[in-house]
Amino acid sequence: MKKVLVLVLSLVLVLGLAANASALTVAFSQIGQESDWRTANTDNVKAAIEEAGWELVYSDGQQKQENQIAALRSFITQGVDYILFTGVVNTGWEEVLTEVNDADIPLLLLDRIPDCADVIDYKVAFGGDFVEEGYRMVKWAGEYLKSIGRDEEVNVVIMEGTTGASAQVDRTTGNLKALEEYPNMKLVGQQSGNFTRAEGQAVMESWLKSIDKIDVLFAQNDDMALGAIDAIKAAGLVPGQDIIIVGCDSVKAAFEAIVAGDMNATIECTPLYGPFVIDAINKLEAGEEFDKTVIHPEEGVYDCVGGIECGGSVAVTSVKAADVIDQRQY
Ligand code: GYE
């Protein structure tokens, strides 16, 4: 009887130790929930961590840098094993990320890479090629206009994301680079809609009052495009026809708008970072080497017609949204 008891207790102890060794605590400082892309990104990373059996400490920054700084400091106090970080803007992180380094907590940068990345220590940075995405937005419209025989001068507006976020800075760079190749596109408005539907709608409302004629809207994310569509309809115009609308992200709501004829195209930017995070942490745990900077190759462009060649550094031909809408999960 005594022997059995000793055996059972030893087993409990061994299992307990094993469980403890694998139970990592992973903290995630996320920007907020400003868009469908962000929601998909949060859900995907959270689910992957939970599936791996690790503990998640999640903090929603509600679009405020000071909230994110406070969250990072609290992660340090809690002594978490890993920190995942996406910064709402590019600047102002050096002090707190140095504190993370001093606490010896491995840092993984997701999505937006802060300006101080060259002076702080991080294990891996994973993001999209935002310049390429911005380039494709304009190139798609330029080639689409050509394909429907519209070679007259057109007025275009750029609705930018959160000012100072790498997705805004780089998509703007890509937008302007491609505009140089299409002299028939005249830039008549450029303003931030903060990556949200509500601000996208408000910016479009004010443009429709102050600009005589808008032919093309480049919205640096789909949520702003969807907000703008509401404003265009409210002004008695037909979105997708009177104003050609190109978004970015390729969320399901944009596919639906394209299928409904309200929007014309959206550029892919994947939010699905979960598998990458798990792989990176497993490799770090095993002491394996891997690439420090991973830029995700953006795959698709989805639109109302299909067959438009609109790649920049990588060739890509658009696919009709109606043909793939059922496969889109988010
Ligand atoms: O496009 C937008 C989100 O940083 C790539 O942020 C991300 C962008 C995405 O709010 O919808």
Side-chain angles (χ1 to χ4, degrees), residues 34-35 37-38 111-112 130 167 171 195 220-221 249 269:
E34 76 282 9
S35 64
W37 187 99
R38 188 67 51 200
D111 171 24
R112 301 179 183 174
F130 304 139
R171 284 180 187 156
F195 281 136
Q220 288 179 353
N221 83 346
D249 283 352
C269 170

Side-chain angles (χ1 to χ4, degrees), residues 11 37 57 69 134 137 141-142 167 185 201 248 261 288 296 298 300:
L11 204 66
W37 187 99
V57 181
I69 291 175
M137 289 169 67
M185 290 197 209
Q201 183 173 354
C248 191
E288 280 175 41
H296 191 272
E298 302 302 358

Side-chain angles (χ1 to χ4, degrees), residues 68-106:
Q68 290 202 270
I69 291 175
L72 290 165
R73 294 206 165 117
S74 127
F75 296 162
I76 296 172
T77 313
Q78 291 173 61
V80 301
D81 297 306
Y82 287 89
I83 291 180
L84 314 178
F85 171 66
T86 305
V88 64
V89 288
N90 279 352
T91 54
W93 301 108
E94 193 175 330
E95 189 183 335
V96 70
L97 293 182
T98 304
E99 290 169 28
V100 169
N101 286 169
D102 292 344
D104 271 335
I105 303 175

Side-chain angles (χ1 to χ4, degrees), residues 31 33-38 63 86-87 110-112 128 130 133 161-162 165-168 171 194-196 220-224 248-249 251 269-271 273 298:
I31 293 171
Q33 290 304 311
E34 76 282 9
S35 64
D36 286 3
W37 187 99
R38 188 67 51 200
Q63 304 284 115
T86 305
L110 302 191
D111 171 24
R112 301 179 183 174
F130 304 139
E133 291 163 9
T162 306
S166 54
Q168 174 269 323
R171 284 180 187 156
N194 209 18
F195 281 136
T196 69
Q220 288 179 353
N221 83 346
D222 289 335
D223 285 73
M224 293 189 295
C248 191
D249 283 352
V251 294
C269 170
T270 187
Y273 293 174
E298 302 302 358

Side-chain angles (χ1 to χ4, degrees), residues 87-150:
V88 64
V89 288
N90 279 352
T91 54
W93 301 108
E94 193 175 330
E95 189 183 335
V96 70
L97 293 182
T98 304
E99 290 169 28
V100 169
N101 286 169
D102 292 344
D104 271 335
I105 303 175
L107 176 67
L108 284 74
L109 304 173
L110 302 191
D111 171 24
R112 301 179 183 174
I113 316 301
D115 277 358
C116 64
D118 45 353
V119 291
I120 52 138
D121 182 31
Y122 62 91
K123 297 300 173 197
V124 66
F126 182 77
D129 187 344
F130 304 139
V131 176
E132 173 75 14
E133 291 163 9
Y135 182 88
R136 287 179 182 180
M137 289 169 67
V138 173
K139 177 124 188 197
W140 181 88
E143 294 305 307
Y144 174 67
L145 286 170
K146 268 194 214 164
S147 77
I148 57 173
R150 286 187 60 180

Side-chain angles (χ1 to χ4, degrees), residues 126-298:
F126 182 77
D129 187 344
F130 304 139
V131 176
E132 173 75 14
E133 291 163 9
Y135 182 88
R136 287 179 182 180
M137 289 169 67
V138 173
K139 177 124 188 197
W140 181 88
E143 294 305 307
Y144 174 67
L145 286 170
K146 268 194 214 164
S147 77
I148 57 173
R150 286 187 60 180
D151 50 11
E152 82 276 16
E153 187 174 271
V154 291
N155 286 347
V156 309
V157 286
I158 300 178
M159 193 180 282
E160 298 184 1
T162 306
T163 305
S166 54
Q168 174 269 323
V169 175
D170 292 353
R171 284 180 187 156
T172 303
T173 302
N175 289 158
L176 297 177
K177 194 170 132 206
L179 276 180
E180 281 172 21
E181 293 173 26
Y182 296 92
N184 62 319
M185 290 197 209
K186 196 169 142 222
L187 184 59
V188 294
Q190 193 173 357
Q191 200 178 318
S192 172
N194 209 18
F195 281 136
T196 69
R197 235 173 248 221
E199 285 174 73
Q201 183 173 354
V203 169
M204 195 68 206
E205 269 165 18
S206 89
W207 272 339
L208 288 170
K209 285 181 196 140
S210 61
I211 302 173
D212 275 351
K213 187 169 82 83
I214 298 174
D215 298 294
V216 183
L217 162 67
F218 296 114
Q220 288 179 353
N221 83 346
D222 289 335
D223 285 73
M224 293 189 295
L226 295 165
I229 288 171
D230 291 341
I232 294 167
K233 285 183 178 168
L237 295 169
V238 183
Q241 286 178 32
D242 294 333
I243 301 181
I244 290 168
I245 302 173
V246 183
C248 191
D249 283 352
S250 293
V251 294
K252 188 146 192 160
F255 282 57
E256 283 161 359
I258 295 171
V259 172
D262 289 342
M263 191 167 158
N264 304 81
T266 180
I267 313 300
E268 174 105 72
C269 170
T270 187
L272 307 178
Y273 293 174
F276 153 78
V277 168
I278 303 306
D279 185 53
I281 293 179
N282 279 330
K283 285 186 173 143
L284 287 165
E285 286 291 296
E288 280 175 41
E289 299 278 316
F290 59 97
D291 274 350
K292 204 174 162 187
T293 304
V294 185
I295 298 295
H296 191 272
E298 302 302 358

